[in-house]
């Protein structure tokens, strides 16, 4: 059986080729690590460090008290006082503040009289998400303020319907606990894709692919020879990312590592299949890069990473099931945050396995066809 | 190991003539041209073009430069390319119209103005490149290897076009690694490894070879053996096969020789300067196992046809090649010879017909058929980022060599090709000659029955080329069969038989002498292979 030495030669060659090429060596190591470290902090939907402005025409005790409470809350970093509406408007225009809270001249007087008073919030609509969250923070401050005044005035309230919200799996709703596992998945995907998408087209540009095709290697052997090194590098790199996640970010991992690696292998196989398919289609490395972009952009937007899949139009939602990463997101988040049981992991692994089978056979078929 | 790309060059190039920059790849030709255009500045020393320092930006107004790979936009048509370069050169609408008319007539590209540049043949691409470089009406035209990959027919046309330009007073600098082109230049700068070996009219150099070049007729069957014997004589410094004759160069003039004396060529002088070709038999061939004599054919093409859509690239090609034969595929660019070549080594599947290697069908048992094949491409196609040793390991492994046998073969290749000092250096950093050796080593380690060579020696210096053919000739004596495509007709002379392909059809098959005899006329009593190539194709074109 002469098959194994041939495959071994291919695998060693492939690993050496990646390692010897200085550029590919650097792109392999540096960007994923840097991205993990920077993006884990940058790509957050938590709203902190908010600047807020106050235009107070009232000057009474009640408005003063409310402003003190806003200043005292941990969310608002700077609280500016405006002398006129124009000033408030300008500050929002220049994005110095995200919200301006305005008190009418008779705010304190109305409250003293026991009449309903209102305050106005002017929000920056250019930042809808942050504005919504700020509204939430302010509303809760105002609500406590209301209750306190009424109690102070001796108004007997009916026992209020208290909502005690508690978040399971991520009790403090810390975004980083959700974000970093997702980044591990994204970076592993990127790596598997770039490793394979260029590998064949690079050989085509160098003329070495013809050299492979005239050797007794069969198309499927060439395919396996490209697949195994990519998997080895991909799993290795993912392990490094996991280490950083667990020991640098100290993100708790509550699931089973066996299930994580099992599903990761299936996930990477499906991405390697996509990469090899793109590679077998392209004649030049430039085409490979374009092909990867064509795949990456919709994948990222539809994956459920940036926006919840549930918010997408119902006709579009089934298509997200075709993206391996949307399944892997569920698995990796599940394993990190809530010790996802094996059954659930398998439920999301078999679609990825199907996709892997499909993309790999497609790549194999293209390989064979390319020779003809 | 670091040597300057150009080492203390002093030279003057005269106005209004063609000056050839001649030398093998890596000699410094491109560097010198780029220095003249001001695209590179010298590390030390200075260079002036028409009295202008190359630091000045005016240099671009007087020079026209056609790089090795001219920047034609493959997805634009011929006319659109011309238009683009006219705009880049700031030609007015009126000037443009006039210039296009001149250029299209000059290049005879008029029938193809709407064809995409990417679909032009190699020769036509070069003509279009030349036209674009001429749009600015330069006083000095610099052409960097305009004839690389161009077939003999188009090459001859390009020469006529450029000679025409010098009649109008233009100064032309033509770089080439084809030494036979040096004889066509008025003056020559001969470069080798960054050093200027000669500067002057080519005749001045070839003069020294007077009475030193001879032709001897030998029996066709023994010519390779006789050549090896003659090359081992101390006073023979070079020898090549030319059909049924051998052309020999001696180290000093032999006045009273009875041999037939022939006029010397530029290449003879170059080899003389370099000290003659390396002696000895091919150690590679000596270590090669003797292939069993069989009467059956080694390569068999049966009605091979390849269609790409409506276009027929190869039509009904049939031939058989015996064991120990060198078979050449010749033809103009785009004639279909690479299509046929690729079908025979399994890179393309034929639409109709069959290709058999050692009796094994490439279609039904591709892996088995391919294990009999060795392949070496024109472009250096080994893994450049891998070391010499890693390349040898990979290629021996990919042919299924293993265990002590694999180690033995690798060691043998390292010894034969003297690769020891380079074992750990990256393959793309090797000197060209060693790249060539490594490529041959990787192609023959598994002792193939058939060796496919695609333009094997384009751009290498004559010494490396001779060494290469010594190995090939030796292996053929051991029964290896060779299939070669080339534009270099000198190389085609080594073939036992040649098939001339034109427009997808095999228009002539025979020994090099057969092909020459086919076109022998009273006007051309002693045609070269190039003459015969051109005449046969023109004849076919008329029909």
């Amino acid at each position: 059986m002469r098959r194994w030495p041939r495959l071994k030669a291919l695998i060693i060659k492939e690993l050496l080729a990646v390692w010897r090429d200085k550029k590919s060596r650097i792109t392999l190591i540096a960007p994923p690590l840097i991205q993990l470290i920077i993006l884990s902090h940058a790509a957050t939907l938590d709203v902190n460090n908010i600047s807020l402005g106050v235009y107070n025409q009232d000057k009474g005790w009640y408005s003063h008290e409310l402003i003190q409470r806003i200043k005292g809350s941990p969310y608002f970093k700077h609280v500016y006082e405006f002398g006129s509406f124009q000033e408030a408007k300008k500050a929002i225009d220049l994005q110095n503040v995200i919200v301006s809270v305005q008190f009418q001249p008779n705010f304190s007087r109305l409250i003293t009289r026991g009449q309903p008073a209102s305050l106005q919030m002017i929000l920056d609509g250019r930042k809808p998400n942050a504005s919504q969250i700020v509204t939430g923070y302010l509303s809760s401050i105002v609500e406590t303020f209301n209750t306190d005044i009424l109690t102070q005035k001796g108004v007997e309230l009916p026992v209020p319907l208290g909502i005690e919200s508690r978040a399971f799996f991520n009790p403090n709703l810390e975004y980083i606990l959700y974000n970093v596992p997702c980044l591990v998945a994204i970076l592993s995907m990127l790596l598997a894709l770039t490793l394979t998408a260029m590998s064949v087209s690079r050989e085509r540009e160098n003329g070495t692919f013809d050299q492979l095709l005239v050797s007794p290697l069969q198309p499927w052997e060439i395919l396996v020879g490209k697949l195994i090194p990519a998997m080895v590098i991909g799993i290795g790199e993912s392990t490094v990312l996991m280490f950083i996640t667990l020991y640098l970010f100290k993100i708790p991992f509550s699931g089973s590592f066996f299930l994580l690696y099992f599903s990761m292998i299936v996930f990477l196989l499906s991405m390697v299949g996509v990469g090899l398919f793109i590679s077998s289609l392209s004649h030049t490395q430039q085409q490979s890069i374009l092909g990867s972009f064509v795949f990456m952009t919709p994948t990222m937007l539809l994956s459920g990473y940036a926006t919840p899949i549930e918010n997408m139009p119902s006709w579009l939602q089934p298509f997200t099931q075709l993206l391996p990463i949307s399944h892997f997101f569920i698995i990796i988040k599940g394993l990190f945050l809530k010790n996802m049981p094996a059954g659930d992991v398998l439920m999301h692994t078999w679609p990825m396995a199907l996709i892997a089978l499909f993309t790999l056979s497609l790549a194999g078929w293209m390989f064979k066809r390319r020779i003809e | 190991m670091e040597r300057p790309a150009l080492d203390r060059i002093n030279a003057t190039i005269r106005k209004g003539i063609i000056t050839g920059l001649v030398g093998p790849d890596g000699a410094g030709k491109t560097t010198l041209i780029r220095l003249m255009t001001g695209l590179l500045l010298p590390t030390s020393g200075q260079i002036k073009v028409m009295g202008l320092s190359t630091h000045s930006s005016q240099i671009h107004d007087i020079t026209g430069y056609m790089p090795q790979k001219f920047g034609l936009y493959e997805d634009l048509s011929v006319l659109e390319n011309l238009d683009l370069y006219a705009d880049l050169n700031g030609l007015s609408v009126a000037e443009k119209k006039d210039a296009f008319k001149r250029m299209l007539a000059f290049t005879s590209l008029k029938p193809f103005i709407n064809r995409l540049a990417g679909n032009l043949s190699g020769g036509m691409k070069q003509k279009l490149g030349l036209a674009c470089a001429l749009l600015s009406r330069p006083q000095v035209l610099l052409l960097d290897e305009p004839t690389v990959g161009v077939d003999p027919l188009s090459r001859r046309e390009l020469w006529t076009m450029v000679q025409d330009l010098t009649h109008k007073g233009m100064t032309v600098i033509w770089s080439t690694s084809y030494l036979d082109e040096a004889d066509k230049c008025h003056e020559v700068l001969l470069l080798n490894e960054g050093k200027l070996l000669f500067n002057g009219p080519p005749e001045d150099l070839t003069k020294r070879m007077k009475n030193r070049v001879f032709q001897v007729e030998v029996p066709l069957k023994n010519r390779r053996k006789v050549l090896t014997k003659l090359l081992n004589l101390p006073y023979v410094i070079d020898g090549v096969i030319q059909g049924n004759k051998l052309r020999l160069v001696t180290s000093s003039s032999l006045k009273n020789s009875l041999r037939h004396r022939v006029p010397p060529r530029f290449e003879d002088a170059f080899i003389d300067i370099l000290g003659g070709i390396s002696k000895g038999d091919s150690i590679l061939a000596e270590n090669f196992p003797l292939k069993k004599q069989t009467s059956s054919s080694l390569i068999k093409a049966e009605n091979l046809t390849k269609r790409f859509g409506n276009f027929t690239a190869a039509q009904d090609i049939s031939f058989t090649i015996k064991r120990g034969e060198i078979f050449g595929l010749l033809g103009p660019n785009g004639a279909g010879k690479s299509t046929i070549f690729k079908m025979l080594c399994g890179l393309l599947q034929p639409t109709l017909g069959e290709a058999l290697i050692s009796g094994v069908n490439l279609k039904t048992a591709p892996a088995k058929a391919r294990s009999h094949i060795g392949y070496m491409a024109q472009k250096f196609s080994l893994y450049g980022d891998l070391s010499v040793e890693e390349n040898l390991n990979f290629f021996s492994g990919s042919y299924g060599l293993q265990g002590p046998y694999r180690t033995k073969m690798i060691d043998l290749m390292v010894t034969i090709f003297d690769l020891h000092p380079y074992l750990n250096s990256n393959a793309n950093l090797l000197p060209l000659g060693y790249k060539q050796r490594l490529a041959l080593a990787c192609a023959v380690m598994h002792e193939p029955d058939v060796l496919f060579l695609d333009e094997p020696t384009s751009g290498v210096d004559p010494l490396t080329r001779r060494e290469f053919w010594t190995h090939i000739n030796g292996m053929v004596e051991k029964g290896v069969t060779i299939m070669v495509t080339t534009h270099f007709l000198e190389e085609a002379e080594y073939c036992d038989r040649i098939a001339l392909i034109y427009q997808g059809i095999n228009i002539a098959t025979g020994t090099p002498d057969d092909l020459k005899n086919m076109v022998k006329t009273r006007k051309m009593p002693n045609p070269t292979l190039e003459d015969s190539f051109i005449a046969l194709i023109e004849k076919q074109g008329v029909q």
Side-chain angles (χ1 to χ4, degrees):
Chain A
M1 215 43 192
R2 293 229 207 141
R3 191 147 284 154
W4 172 236
R6 292 202 304 238
L7 264 179
K8 197 173 98 186
L10 265 178
I11 293 167
I12 293 174
K13 180 267 300 178
E14 198 65 30
L15 289 171
L16 280 172
V18 173
W19 186 247
R20 281 305 183 81
D21 182 9
K22 205 171 166 190
K23 273 178 274 174
S24 77
R25 193 169 56 203
I26 292 171
T27 39
L28 214 65
I29 298 172
L33 299 187
I34 296 172
Q35 283 172 16
L36 181 66
I37 289 167
I38 293 178
L39 292 182
S40 58
H41 291 292
T44 170
L45 290 179
D46 284 343
V47 180
N48 291 317
N49 305 328
I50 307 164
S51 293
L52 158 149
V54 177
Y55 174 34
N56 189 359
Q57 291 173 283
D58 172 55
K59 311 283 186 235
W61 184 85
Y62 286 106
S63 60
H64 183 71
E65 172 62 20
L66 192 51
I67 291 170
Q68 287 311 316
R69 288 187 181 207
I70 291 173
K71 279 185 176 166
S73 90
Y75 306 115
F76 302 104
K77 197 173 173 194
H78 294 289
V79 177
Y80 301 101
E81 307 243 353
F82 299 132
S84 69
F85 179 65
Q86 260 62 38
E87 215 179 305
K89 204 178 160 207
K90 204 174 148 203
I92 289 180
D93 265 3
L94 297 175
Q95 308 197 13
N96 290 336
V97 297
I98 193 168
V99 61
S100 166
V101 181
Q102 330 228 91
F103 295 92
Q104 292 168 298
N106 52 359
F107 183 79
S108 294
R109 203 163 49 212
L110 286 174
I111 296 180
T112 325
R113 280 198 213 142
Q115 286 174 346
S118 55
L119 57 82
Q120 190 183 23
M121 268 190 262
I122 297 175
L123 292 149
D124 188 346
R126 290 168 294 188
K127 302 171 183 161
N129 187 51
S131 296
Q132 218 161 19
I133 291 169
V134 170
T135 314
Y137 293 156
L138 283 173
S139 306
S140 74
I141 293 174
V142 171
E143 206 164 307
T144 341
F145 178 72
N146 264 339
T147 327
D148 289 351
I149 296 171
L150 291 175
T151 330
Q152 182 200 357
K153 292 207 161 200
V155 177
E156 211 39 60
L157 281 174
V159 180
L161 201 62
I163 301 176
E164 280 284 313
S165 58
R166 269 179 56 202
F168 273 6
F169 314 124
N170 185 358
N172 295 323
L173 289 176
E174 284 173 78
Y175 196 71
I176 201 164
L177 298 186
Y178 156 89
N179 193 26
V180 173
C182 287
L183 279 174
V184 172
I186 293 171
L187 295 174
S188 305
M189 167 171 85
L190 254 174
L191 190 83
L193 200 65
T194 41
L195 260 179
T196 45
M198 310 239 281
S199 68
V200 178
S201 47
R202 182 172 56 215
E203 293 215 31
R204 233 181 226 137
E205 277 183 13
N206 291 339
T208 47
F209 200 60
D210 277 358
Q211 201 73 256
L212 288 186
L213 291 179
V214 294
S215 74
L217 292 166
Q218 289 176 10
W220 71 263
E221 288 179 299
I222 300 178
L223 193 77
V224 173
K226 294 271 173 205
L227 182 140
I228 292 177
M231 289 299 294
V232 169
I233 298 173
I235 293 169
E237 183 102 14
S238 306
T239 306
V240 173
L241 295 178
M242 281 296 294
F243 253 93
I244 295 178
T245 309
L246 296 177
Y247 296 104
L248 191 74
F249 291 111
K250 300 204 163 59
I251 309 281
F253 183 81
S254 51
S256 129
F257 279 106
F258 171 75
L259 286 176
L260 178 75
Y261 272 86
F262 171 70
S263 56
M264 189 187 282
I265 288 172
V266 176
F267 170 62
L268 289 176
L269 271 174
S270 68
M271 293 328 295
V272 165
V274 173
L276 286 174
F277 176 66
I278 292 174
S279 209
S280 60
L281 280 179
S282 344
H283 286 271
T284 59
Q285 297 191 57
Q286 198 187 2
Q287 287 176 1
S288 306
I289 295 172
L290 281 176
S292 311
F293 268 108
V294 167
F295 174 80
M296 279 303 288
T297 315
T299 299
M300 285 315 300
L301 291 177
L302 295 178
S303 64
Y305 171 66
T307 49
I309 291 175
E310 294 74 23
N311 290 5
M312 294 171 195
S314 52
W315 61 267
L316 191 60
Q317 290 187 19
F319 288 98
T320 62
Q321 299 298 305
L322 298 176
L323 304 173
I325 197 161
S326 54
H327 297 284
F328 192 58
F329 273 153
I330 297 172
I331 295 174
I332 199 168
K333 280 188 285 185
L335 287 176
F336 260 98
L337 296 172
K338 66 170 192 192
N339 187 11
M340 197 183 224
D344 288 359
V345 173
L346 285 179
M347 271 282 291
H348 288 284
T349 308
W350 75 260
M352 294 198 297
L354 265 188
I355 298 168
L357 195 69
F358 176 73
T359 55
L360 284 170
S361 349
L362 200 63
W365 179 73
M366 275 305 296
F367 256 61
K368 240 180 117 77
R369 226 187 64 119
R370 273 284 154 176
I371 310 173
E372 287 158 24
Chain B
M1 280 217 327
E2 280 289 306
R3 63 167 176 83
L6 284 175
D7 194 3
R8 285 162 292 166
I9 308 286
N10 289 301
T12 317
I13 290 171
R14 286 200 293 130
K15 236 183 193 173
I17 58 166
I18 303 181
T19 301
L21 284 185
V22 185
D25 287 359
K29 303 187 297 286
T30 303
T31 311
L32 188 53
I33 286 196
R34 289 172 69 83
L35 283 171
M36 287 191 243
T37 52
L39 291 170
L40 280 177
L41 294 172
T43 316
S44 66
Q46 59 161 336
I47 185 162
K48 277 190 171 167
V49 179
M50 307 290 281
L52 281 172
S53 151
T54 50
H55 289 273
S56 134
S57 63
Q58 280 162 288
I59 200 95
H60 301 300
D61 300 336
I62 56 167
T63 56
Y65 171 44
M66 183 170 137
Q68 241 170 60
K69 267 202 140 179
F70 192 77
L72 291 176
Y73 291 85
E74 306 238 311
D75 298 321
L76 294 183
S77 70
V78 169
L79 196 63
E80 285 162 340
N81 267 294
L82 277 173
D83 212 33
L84 176 72
Y85 278 94
D87 289 340
L88 289 178
N89 280 307
L91 265 66
S92 72
V93 178
E95 279 174 324
K96 246 201 287 202
K97 210 177 153 193
D98 174 56
F100 286 3
K101 216 168 125 189
R102 260 187 313 120
M103 284 305 148
L104 289 173
F106 177 58
T107 56
S108 35
L109 282 173
K110 192 138 195 201
F112 310 105
I113 46 170
N114 291 321
R115 191 180 287 191
L116 295 186
N119 296 338
L120 293 176
S121 73
M124 289 205 275
K125 270 185 199 160
Q126 293 300 69
K127 286 185 200 169
L128 179 57
L130 182 60
C132 292
L134 286 171
L135 281 171
S136 60
R137 286 175 177 269
Q139 300 173 34
V140 181
L141 180 65
L142 300 132
L143 306 170
D144 195 1
E145 304 217 28
T147 49
V148 162
V150 174
D151 62 78
L153 194 65
S154 312
R155 208 184 305 168
R156 206 174 261 198
E157 285 171 358
L158 272 169
W159 267 103
T160 324
M161 286 167 61
V162 172
Q163 274 157 353
D164 210 35
L165 292 170
T166 54
H167 296 154
K168 291 171 189 156
M170 196 179 282
T171 307
V172 178
I173 289 149
W174 176 298
S175 95
T176 180
S177 60
Y178 294 106
L179 293 166
D180 56 327
E181 289 186 350
D183 288 316
K184 296 184 191 165
C185 301
H186 299 108
E187 288 197 0
V188 164
L189 300 183
L190 176 62
L191 292 167
N192 192 47
E193 295 185 338
K195 292 206 163 60
L196 183 63
L197 296 184
F198 170 77
N199 179 12
E203 308 82 62
D204 285 5
L205 192 68
T206 34
K207 202 162 62 181
R208 64 192 274 172
M209 304 310 290
K210 212 175 156 199
N211 296 328
R212 289 169 62 182
V213 188
F214 306 92
Q215 221 172 29
V216 286
E217 205 158 321
V218 287
L220 200 57
K221 242 181 98 185
N222 292 332
R223 60 201 170 126
R224 280 186 277 266
K225 277 190 187 132
V226 177
L227 176 67
T228 323
K229 282 220 178 89
L230 288 174
L231 280 176
N232 282 334
L233 294 175
Y235 54 88
V236 175
I237 59 163
D238 182 25
V240 292
I241 291 173
Q242 290 189 321
N244 65 347
K245 298 187 187 75
L246 300 179
R247 188 177 188 281
L248 300 167
V249 184
T250 58
S251 53
S252 56
S253 64
L254 300 175
K255 283 240 168 70
N256 31 11
S257 167
L258 297 171
R259 310 288 181 203
H260 180 56
R261 219 172 278 154
V262 285
R265 294 178 309 201
F266 192 80
E267 187 182 55
D268 303 329
F270 184 31
I271 287 176
D272 189 37
I273 293 180
L274 295 177
I277 69 169
S278 56
K279 300 277 179 178
D281 304 334
S282 161
I283 318 171
L284 172 65
E286 277 169 21
N287 284 289
F288 227 71
L290 188 66
K291 298 280 178 188
K292 256 184 270 155
Q293 286 296 327
T294 47
S295 49
S296 66
S297 61
L298 257 280
I299 302 179
K300 190 167 189 185
E302 272 181 358
N303 309 98
L304 279 182
T305 299
K306 180 74 190 177
R307 294 199 192 93
F308 297 104
N310 288 328
F311 174 69
T312 306
Q315 171 85 45
D316 217 8
I317 303 288
S318 297
F319 49 72
T320 52
I321 305 174
K322 293 192 297 288
R323 186 173 283 288
E325 205 178 2
I326 304 182
F327 191 88
L329 275 180
L330 302 187
N333 297 116
K337 64 175 179 344
S338 15
T339 308
I340 298 169
F341 188 82
K342 282 182 174 169
M343 284 193 283
L344 288 171
C345 57
L347 286 174
L348 268 178
Q349 287 289 349
T351 315
L352 289 172
E354 283 181 341
L356 294 103
I357 302 290
S358 294
V360 185
N361 194 324
L362 265 171
K363 197 166 194 169
T364 49
K368 185 156 181 257
R370 284 200 297 256
S371 65
H372 296 284
I373 294 179
Y375 173 90
M376 186 177 152
Q378 74 187 92
K379 236 177 63 183
F380 176 70
S381 55
L382 302 176
Y383 293 92
D385 287 323
L386 265 58
S387 73
V388 169
E389 193 176 11
E390 287 158 354
N391 268 294
L392 289 168
N393 282 337
F394 170 64
F395 281 102
S396 58
S398 73
Y399 279 94
L401 271 59
Q402 53 183 321
Y405 177 61
R406 180 182 183 187
T407 327
K408 190 192 119 198
M409 286 315 282
I410 293 177
D411 287 345
L412 188 62
M413 292 302 145
V414 171
T415 319
I416 291 173
F417 293 104
D418 193 21
L419 293 170
H420 222 279
Y422 296 104
L423 268 186
N424 293 316
S425 29
N426 279 10
N428 56 2
L429 299 177
L430 291 182
L432 191 71
Y434 277 90
K435 279 186 185 170
Q436 172 93 18
R437 288 175 174 189
L438 179 59
L440 183 59
C442 290
V444 300
M445 246 188 302
H446 59 292
E447 298 175 337
D449 293 331
V450 183
L451 193 53
F452 282 83
L453 306 172
D454 183 4
E455 302 242 356
T457 62
S458 100
V460 305
D461 65 89
L463 299 190
T464 309
R465 181 176 302 132
R466 295 293 187 275
E467 180 193 308
F468 177 81
W469 278 101
T470 303
H471 290 310
I472 298 296
N473 285 336
M475 283 196 287
V476 168
E477 290 302 314
K478 286 285 176 96
V480 178
T481 306
I482 310 286
M483 171 75 150
V484 58
T485 67
T486 183
H487 281 317
F488 193 71
L489 293 175
E490 193 64 17
E491 209 160 58
E493 296 271 12
Y494 285 100
C495 295
D496 293 295
R497 279 192 303 149
I498 290 171
L500 188 55
I501 311 294
Y502 182 58
Q503 294 183 339
I505 302 166
N506 185 353
I507 60 169
T509 318
T511 65
D513 289 322
D514 288 343
L515 295 191
K516 289 176 202 167
N517 290 335
M518 281 180 202
V519 299
K520 208 175 243 177
T521 55
R522 200 172 307 152
K523 251 167 69 187
M524 202 161 48
N526 216 349
T528 62
L529 198 51
E530 184 181 316
D531 295 328
S532 126
F533 177 99
I534 290 168
L536 285 168
I537 281 169
E538 279 172 348
K539 203 167 103 195
Q540 191 72 22
V542 171
Q543 287 171 9

